[in-house]
Amino acid sequence: MLTAVSLLACDRAPRESPSVRFEHDLEALKEYFHIPGMAAIVTQRGDVIYENYFGYADLQTERRVDSTTIFPIASITKTFAAVLLMQLVESGDLDLDEPINNYLADSDLSDSITIRHVLSHTSEGKPGSFFNYSGRFSRLTEVLETVTGKPLEVLLQDNILEPQGLGNTLSIVSQANVDSLTDVLAKPYEYYGTIEDGHFDIGLTSSFGLASTARDLAKFDKALGSGALISDKNRSEMFSPFRTSTGISPYGLGIFSQVFLGKQIIWGYGQEENFSGLPVPVMAATLATYVIFSYDLWEGMRFAPFLIPLVLFLCYLMVSHVEYEMMPKFSFREGKRNSILIIIMLLAIAAVVIFRQKATFPMAMGFVLFFWIRSLVHHHEEEENEELLDVSIPD
């Protein structure tokens, strides 16, 4: 589990600091969901102010998770691919409103579907009419490679990874690649009552295939926010919710974009057979969150579907004006459940039952999260005089 987060504290200090509560909650989540290992990084305006690691990257050898541990990030790869596309837009080599078929050698897609439609997951049905998380995003690989004449792996290396010093971010393109990285890769696991060995998904497309560390993802977030990768104008376009013909989509270009209580939350998720990820930057509060598990989160959702909204809510509390101590305490170890948690759990279960497809799952979780946060803080006045937490970084 990989996290990069910004922490703010209220003047009226709680009995237990937000950083300590946050760490306790991460440990509780790790134990409750049988997550073998995770890492946490906290950043404020691009600077790391907290860093910690939990558990094992390999249970058999007892190799612990540390700053060099690499996790596959699955669909978080989409954000990297979106940056490459926006770079081509800036150089004048690509127009997002061109038909995607102009760049596909073999396609059964309608000529009315543009690159922008695929990039924003609005290509299903009547193009541009509604959001539906789609596997068509992988077709953007052909667009990138046709325009540049280079393989996607080379484009990522030349335009993002090497210039930004992301030396621990790489592509999982072969089993030989995996075998050569056994000392640094987090080992995949499944949980069906007991923890079992899993497997890596092999291959690289614009949809999935990258692996990274906590520190590298924090560097990527900083580079994206500072204008080192794309201009402020194109980043704003990328992070803006796509306007469909029927309303506002929860997705921008390559990443989710929603507003909760006046704060813009830019987030995404990655899902492979044995790894799951959840990046959540809160732009108005300079929050940047990356969450990665060496564990099949979707399988875990069969038992406790509220993990995603819970993690999002914990991250929100760290940057909100809400006094952290006033919020309900969660103690999975002791088996306690307060009424609010029960309600949210039931809502999340209902959402999974209603929205059975994984493609619609993020929308369901976003819906549940919004009303959960709103119900908790609706009657609470925002405190003022926030100050940055002084949190040490271990070597």
Side-chain angles (χ1 to χ4, degrees):
M1 180 178 186
L2 213 67
T3 307
V5 143
S6 298
L7 299 183
L8 300 177
C10 300
D11 245 6
R12 196 187 311 171
R15 288 172 294 175
E16 190 176 57
S17 72
S19 60
V20 173
R21 284 284 308 278
F22 184 63
E23 187 165 301
H24 287 171
D25 287 331
L26 290 179
E27 290 174 338
L29 286 170
K30 175 184 176 300
E31 180 176 323
Y32 188 84
F33 288 99
H34 305 278
I35 297 171
M38 62 185 182
I41 280 187
V42 180
T43 66
Q44 176 66 42
R45 297 183 179 89
D47 297 324
V48 176
I49 62 171
Y50 171 84
E51 184 172 359
N52 204 359
Y53 299 91
F54 309 81
Y56 296 95
D58 188 321
L59 292 173
Q60 283 71 28
T61 65
E62 296 188 346
R63 173 169 56 91
R64 297 194 67 86
V65 174
D66 60 25
S67 62
T68 66
T69 303
I70 296 174
F71 295 81
I73 60 175
S75 285
I76 300 171
T77 302
K78 289 179 170 68
T79 305
F80 285 76
V83 168
L84 291 177
L85 288 164
M86 298 309 286
Q87 288 177 341
L88 291 177
V89 170
E90 288 188 4
S91 65
D93 295 316
L94 186 67
D95 182 350
L96 297 183
D97 295 315
E98 289 182 86
I100 192 171
N101 282 343
N102 290 355
Y103 299 93
L104 305 183
D106 182 23
S107 173
D108 57 358
L109 300 180
S110 167
D111 288 336
S112 62
I113 297 175
T114 67
I115 298 169
R116 189 184 301 276
H117 290 142
V118 177
L119 185 57
S120 61
H121 290 292
T122 59
S123 69
E124 304 283 355
K126 182 180 178 181
S129 62
F130 63 91
F131 165 84
N132 187 50
Y133 200 78
S134 172
R136 290 178 177 177
F137 200 99
S138 293
R139 304 303 298 269
L140 296 170
T141 308
E142 294 179 69
V143 175
L144 287 165
E145 295 183 343
T146 299
V147 172
T148 63
K150 298 179 180 180
L152 177 57
E153 185 176 11
V154 173
L155 290 174
L156 288 165
Q157 187 66 37
D158 291 349
N159 295 281
I160 298 178
L161 307 185
E162 187 173 337
Q164 302 307 320
L166 306 185
N168 292 313
T169 301
L170 45 87
S171 307
I172 304 296
V173 294
S174 67
Q175 186 58 49
N177 186 207
V178 171
D179 294 339
S180 68
L181 298 167
T182 53
D183 291 339
V184 291
L185 274 177
K187 189 174 179 180
Y189 294 99
E190 298 176 347
Y191 183 74
Y192 299 94
T194 59
I195 294 178
E196 303 173 5
D197 288 347
H199 67 275
F200 290 96
D201 286 347
I202 305 297
L204 174 68
T205 74
S206 52
S207 288
F208 68 91
L210 284 179
S212 191
T213 65
R215 289 181 177 178
D216 267 16
L217 287 176
K219 286 181 183 178
F220 174 69
D221 177 76
K222 183 176 182 178
L224 185 55
S226 68
L229 289 172
I230 55 177
S231 68
D232 292 345
K233 175 179 178 294
N234 281 310
R235 184 180 67 251
S236 177
E237 181 179 3
M238 183 175 164
F239 288 175
S240 297
F242 187 84
R243 292 184 176 274
T244 69
S245 60
T246 56
I248 302 296
S249 165
Y251 202 82
L253 301 177
I255 196 164
F256 285 89
S257 178
Q258 294 173 282
V259 176
F260 294 115
L261 299 178
K263 298 187 188 303
Q264 185 184 13
I265 298 181
I266 310 299
W267 68 286
Y269 80 106
Q271 176 63 41
E272 290 184 358
E273 283 295 319
N274 304 122
F275 291 94
S276 301
L278 183 71
V280 189
V282 179
M283 304 309 293
T286 63
L287 169 69
T289 306
Y290 290 87
V291 182
I292 297 180
F293 308 82
S294 53
Y295 165 74
D296 192 341
L297 177 61
W298 185 256
E299 290 300 329
M301 286 299 168
R302 298 182 306 164
F303 308 106
F306 57 83
L307 177 60
I308 285 181
L310 178 57
V311 172
L312 284 170
F313 179 62
L314 292 174
C315 294
Y316 171 83
L317 290 180
M318 306 308 288
V319 297
S320 71
H321 294 260
V322 179
E323 245 188 290
Y324 196 49
E325 195 64 24
M326 293 186 64
M327 296 299 102
K329 290 186 177 181
F330 308 100
S331 177
F332 296 114
R333 293 186 180 89
E334 299 175 7
K336 296 178 182 178
R337 299 291 185 272
N338 58 49
S339 58
I340 295 178
L341 183 57
I342 293 174
I343 291 172
I344 297 308
M345 181 176 177
L346 292 174
L347 286 174
I349 293 174
V352 173
V353 172
I354 295 171
F355 304 103
R356 291 171 182 266
Q357 296 182 355
K358 294 182 183 181
T360 55
F361 182 70
M363 292 182 67
M365 292 299 98
F367 177 81
V368 172
L369 173 68
F370 173 77
F371 286 102
W372 186 15
I373 293 177
R374 182 168 182 171
S375 67
L376 287 172
V377 303
H378 181 68
H379 297 295
H380 181 72
E381 290 186 6
E382 291 189 341
E383 300 294 334
E384 55 187 9
N385 300 322
E386 293 178 332
E387 61 183 12
L388 294 178
L389 287 176
D390 182 15
V391 186
S392 59
I393 305 172
D395 295 331

